[in-house]
Amino acid sequence: MIVVADSGSTSIDWRIIEDAFHVRKAVSMGVNPVYQSVEDMLQVFGEVLCGLSDKEGCLYFYGAGVVSDKAAEAVRTALGSVLPGFEISVDSDLMAAAIASLGSRDGIVAILGTGSNSGLYQEGRITGNIPAGGFILGDEGSGAWFGKRLLSDYIKGMLPEALSRALEEECGPLSYHAVVDRVYRGEMPSRYLASFSPFLKRHEDYEYVRGVLEAGFRTFMQRNVLRYGRPDLPLAAVGSVAAVYEGILRSVAAEFRIEVLNVEASAGDGLVRFYQNQNIL
């Protein structure tokens, strides 16, 4: 049995491969070892994997926040507590996105979901990575970046009046103190900020919203993709934000003469194809 997990900070896309023809899917809350303890992650993993605790196999976990050996070991410890009979491999969500979207082709891979990241993928390896920076120092073009921009303009009275009213009606009271408390003292602040992305999608016809989305993707291209210095390579993007705003993403990429090879909401299907093609089932 093979279990493949593609984890972001908001959700995890699980694929349980029993043989070449039977693949079960599940979705759970996401994890991020940068912000969460082993105990927190163990609770999430247990809800999905408890039924496999007596089985043997391989688990390949790719996750946001797997940025160091320490973070990888924390994830491995939590998974091993739930699945003691499994061999467990832990790597970054960036590697998952590259395998799923580029396969054996060289290119630049981007993750645009709750957060954002990018990497130069050559000969099956990530050979370059502009640090993502997280929702405070980076994450350009992500749900968290868009949510931060929206809330910042809201609390400063810079939103169009009609959009400001819609935000209050659809998302409830948003006092300055409540927003600041959630961002600076709440749990998983990036997830909170990204939760406003659906609001932006619903109001995409506003000139203001279109401008924010374009600005986020332009900033992502300028501060990440272009800095690899490889205009000859295509860009492949994975993530909910990339998929939801694919048209705008492609339009902005074209401004910089960047070829967008493909856009996928999740790396899950591509990872399943990869492991099935390895003839290890």
Side-chain angles (χ1 to χ4, degrees):
M1 176 179 289
I2 293 176
V3 178
V4 180
D6 175 31
S7 175
S9 295
T10 298
S11 64
I12 304 176
D13 183 11
W14 299 91
R15 305 299 171 97
I16 300 169
I17 311 171
E18 299 183 57
D19 56 45
F21 304 101
H22 296 89
V23 179
R24 287 189 283 143
K25 300 180 181 181
V27 177
S28 73
M29 182 179 293
V31 300
N32 190 316
V34 172
Y35 305 112
Q36 293 172 287
S37 66
V38 170
E39 290 72 22
D40 292 335
M41 293 187 287
L42 179 57
Q43 182 175 350
V44 174
F45 298 153
E47 292 175 358
V48 176
L49 303 174
C50 60
L52 305 179
S53 60
D54 61 341
K55 299 186 182 299
E56 296 181 348
C58 298
L59 188 151
Y60 300 91
F61 182 95
Y62 299 93
V66 182
V67 294
S68 65
D69 291 341
K70 180 179 179 180
E73 184 57 32
V75 175
R76 192 176 294 109
T77 297
L79 288 168
S81 296
V82 182
L83 299 179
F86 275 66
E87 294 183 17
I88 297 171
S89 173
V90 178
D91 210 326
S92 71
D93 56 348
L94 193 60
M95 190 62 184
I99 291 172
S101 62
L102 289 168
S104 60
R105 181 172 181 173
D106 291 353
I108 297 171
V109 61
I111 294 176
L112 295 166
T114 299
S116 69
N117 203 354
S118 66
L120 181 62
Y121 183 67
Q122 298 173 295
E123 298 181 357
R125 298 183 299 113
I126 301 293
T127 59
N129 171 239
I130 305 299
F135 77 98
I136 293 177
L137 299 178
D139 275 356
E140 301 88 355
S142 71
W145 192 97
F146 293 133
K148 183 171 67 171
R149 172 67 182 274
L150 176 71
L151 290 181
S152 177
D153 287 355
Y154 172 76
I155 65 176
K156 293 178 182 294
M158 297 173 64
L159 287 186
E161 185 176 346
L163 194 62
S164 184
R165 287 198 305 270
L167 183 63
E168 293 167 352
E169 291 171 0
E170 296 179 32
C171 300
L174 293 168
S175 70
Y176 170 74
H177 295 292
V179 169
V180 169
D181 188 65
R182 284 295 304 273
V183 172
Y184 291 98
R185 286 183 287 274
E187 294 184 3
M188 301 297 290
S190 61
R191 186 185 296 169
Y192 169 68
L193 292 169
S195 71
F196 291 92
S197 181
F199 173 82
L200 291 172
K201 180 61 180 177
R202 290 193 296 272
H203 299 278
E204 195 176 347
D205 55 331
Y206 277 79
E207 183 179 350
Y208 164 87
V209 172
R210 179 86 185 192
V212 166
L213 297 172
E214 290 176 344
F217 290 138
R218 285 195 189 101
T219 306
F220 179 77
M221 299 296 171
Q222 293 165 337
R223 295 176 62 85
N224 297 277
V225 177
L226 295 179
R227 296 199 54 236
Y228 293 107
R230 293 297 305 269
D232 56 307
L233 293 178
L235 172 69
V238 172
S240 57
V241 169
V244 167
Y245 302 116
E246 179 177 355
I248 298 176
L249 174 63
R250 287 184 178 276
S251 176
V252 170
E255 295 177 11
F256 297 96
R257 298 183 179 180
I258 296 170
E259 175 195 359
V260 178
L261 188 64
N262 54 52
V263 176
E264 301 286 346
S266 167
D269 289 341
L271 289 172
V272 168
R273 288 193 298 271
F274 174 80
Y275 286 110
Q276 287 178 328
N277 290 337
Q278 301 307 299
N279 295 319
I280 56 178
L281 292 173

